[in-house]
Amino acid sequence: MSDSRTSADGGMETSYGFREVPTGEKQGLVNEVFHKVAKRYDIMNDVMSMGMHRAWKDAMIAALNPRKEAGYKVLDVAGGTGDIAFRIVEASNRQAHATVLDINGSMLAVGAERAEKKKLSDNLTFVEANAEDLPFQSNSFDAYTIAFGIRNVPRIEVALSEAYRVLKRGGRLLVLEFSEVELPILDKVYDAWSFNAIPKFGKAITGDAEPYQYLVESIRKFPNQENFAAMIRMAGFSRVTYTNYTGGIAALHSGWKL
Ligand SMILES: C[S@@+](CC[C@H](N)C(=O)[O-])C[C@H]1O[C@@H](n2cnc3c(N)ncnc32)[C@H](O)[C@@H]1O
């Protein structure tokens, strides 16, 4: 159930939105998208999701229920501009430590600036690295979170096995991602919004529609709830469950390293 597959000429291919590209090329294309949108990323999140991403992220943190103790360590992968890590630190009464890891320095720079303004920097570390090759020792973190990040990673199964490796025994994986809409009328409205409105808003706000075309296409290519749960189990996680948000527009998957 891998995202990568073999092409007619024997090379490995994966989806970049609706296009098939060699697996080795996807990351460069994704990086271009996030370099372009970094400065407008937060405002576009509110526009694209009509503010709903905030409620979904709050629900993710409520599900995590971070321990309010100084030794509690979370790794937030594809952490971008810091939304998840900030919420974790705040929910732990500023006790927990969160490492924000992202492959894109432009996104991390915005995150570090926001952290300074919120006076959260003491509880945060920013690391530029690839989710497929985490620069941490095995069994290091109490929790691994990734929000709206995993569908951008070329080899999802590699990222999941890295997640499993760096978690401590008893550690928790939480993945928030766009998913398959399971309500009949909502899916039509959502399609119209995604394919017509989002690229236009993207162009109006950032001057470029292409990154937003990729974002909406990549959502449609991502495995549905059950298939993604199966990938998480394949990586070794136990007690894998998911919860739909807003009729399945987003879903939170949970697994444990037991
Ligand atoms: C849609 S943003 C999500 C940011 C943040 N988690 C949030 O919810 O607002 C996706 C992020 O994934 C990052 N990303 C893409 N591929 C990655 C990889 N292989 N390793 C780490 N981060 C990656 C991008 O740079 C981008 O910051």
Side-chain angles (χ1 to χ4, degrees):
M1 204 149 330
S2 161
D3 189 44
S4 301
R5 55 209 144 249
T6 309
S7 67
D9 65 3
M12 292 304 282
E13 287 196 330
T14 192
S15 306
Y16 172 75
F18 289 161
R19 274 163 55 200
E20 295 305 306
V21 296
T23 303
E25 274 178 29
K26 171 168 171 163
Q27 191 70 65
L29 294 164
V30 167
N31 294 351
E32 256 177 58
V33 165
F34 288 102
H35 280 304
K36 277 189 200 161
V37 304
K39 290 221 163 65
R40 297 292 171 121
Y41 176 78
D42 293 309
I43 185 168
M44 269 308 291
N45 257 355
D46 279 329
V47 172
M48 280 169 63
S49 73
M50 297 193 244
M52 283 187 296
H53 75 107
R54 293 170 184 257
W56 299 332
K57 287 171 177 168
D58 288 345
M60 179 188 203
I61 305 310
L64 178 65
N65 191 16
R67 289 207 301 274
K68 297 171 181 58
E69 48 186 70
Y72 185 72
K73 284 174 60 187
V74 182
L75 175 62
D76 182 42
V77 173
T81 61
D83 267 6
I84 299 300
F86 300 164
R87 280 171 168 76
I88 290 169
V89 170
E90 277 165 349
S92 75
N93 293 345
R94 302 195 175 219
Q95 299 289 304
H97 187 275
T99 300
V100 184
L101 178 139
D102 201 286
I103 202 164
N104 194 308
S106 308
M107 294 289 281
L108 287 174
V110 175
E113 203 176 301
R114 290 176 78 207
E116 283 283 318
K117 284 196 188 126
K118 290 174 182 283
K119 305 207 179 324
L120 290 173
S121 305
D122 288 350
N123 296 70
L124 296 166
T125 307
F126 290 86
V127 175
E128 191 173 327
N130 191 335
E132 293 182 5
D133 185 16
L134 297 174
F136 307 111
Q137 288 187 346
S138 302
N139 310 308
S140 307
F141 293 94
D142 296 288
Y144 173 114
T145 52
I146 181 164
F148 305 115
I150 197 123
R151 74 176 190 284
N152 297 297
V153 174
R155 295 180 303 160
I156 293 171
E157 68 286 2
V158 176
L160 288 173
S161 81
E162 276 292 86
Y164 189 83
R165 182 183 68 75
V166 300
L167 277 170
K168 296 177 187 170
R169 289 255 160 234
R172 178 114 187 245
L173 166 85
L174 281 178
V175 185
L176 179 61
E177 190 49 90
F178 291 107
S179 203
E180 190 169 273
V181 179
E182 293 184 337
L183 296 179
I185 296 172
L186 184 62
D187 63 353
K188 303 271 178 315
V189 176
Y190 180 55
D191 267 1
W193 172 253
S194 302
F195 289 103
N196 300 320
I198 289 178
K200 288 199 183 93
F201 276 118
K203 182 151 175 63
I205 295 172
T206 69
D208 193 352
E210 200 277 331
Y212 295 95
Q213 190 66 35
Y214 159 71
L215 291 174
V216 295
E217 290 178 6
S218 65
I219 291 167
R220 293 308 191 281
K221 295 299 289 186
F222 190 68
N224 70 14
Q225 288 84 337
E226 284 297 337
N227 288 339
F228 186 51
M231 290 177 81
I232 295 175
R233 281 187 205 101
M234 283 287 289
F237 288 95
S238 305
R239 290 165 53 194
V240 176
T241 55
Y242 63 83
T243 309
N244 280 339
Y245 297 149
T246 321
I249 292 182
L252 181 71
H253 281 75
S254 165
W256 296 82
K257 177 170 171 178
L258 298 179

